[in-house]
Amino acid sequence: MSSDIVLIGPIGAGKSTVAELLADRVGLPQWSMDELRWDYYQEIGYDEELAKQKRESEGL
């Protein structure tokens, strides 16, 4: 039986806070996509400057 728990929600919803509390409570490690995403973004050719321009012109 898998012990993975995935929290999904919008920016600022409190996913990281809940994940930290939950990980402490059940004794599981916590991995935040905020920490892991930059390596993945490099692999797929993510253009940070283009993303910034789109956020400024179109919003999140």
Side-chain angles (χ1 to χ4, degrees):
M1 182 166 142
S2 178
S3 61
D4 295 342
I5 299 171
V6 178
L7 301 177
I8 300 171
I11 295 171
K15 298 176 300 293
S16 296
T17 301
V18 170
E20 184 176 342
L21 294 169
L22 185 59
D24 288 343
R25 171 77 54 98
V26 299
L28 291 173
Q30 175 191 358
W31 295 96
S32 172
M33 286 308 298
D34 290 339
E35 299 166 10
L36 302 174
R37 68 181 168 175
W38 297 111
D39 289 340
Y40 174 73
Y41 284 176
Q42 278 186 314
E43 286 181 31
I44 63 170
Y46 176 78
D47 184 336
E48 191 170 352
E49 185 58 35
L50 177 59
K52 179 182 176 186
Q53 290 171 4
K54 289 204 173 272
R55 279 192 307 274
E56 290 172 355
S57 66
E58 301 173 23
L60 289 173

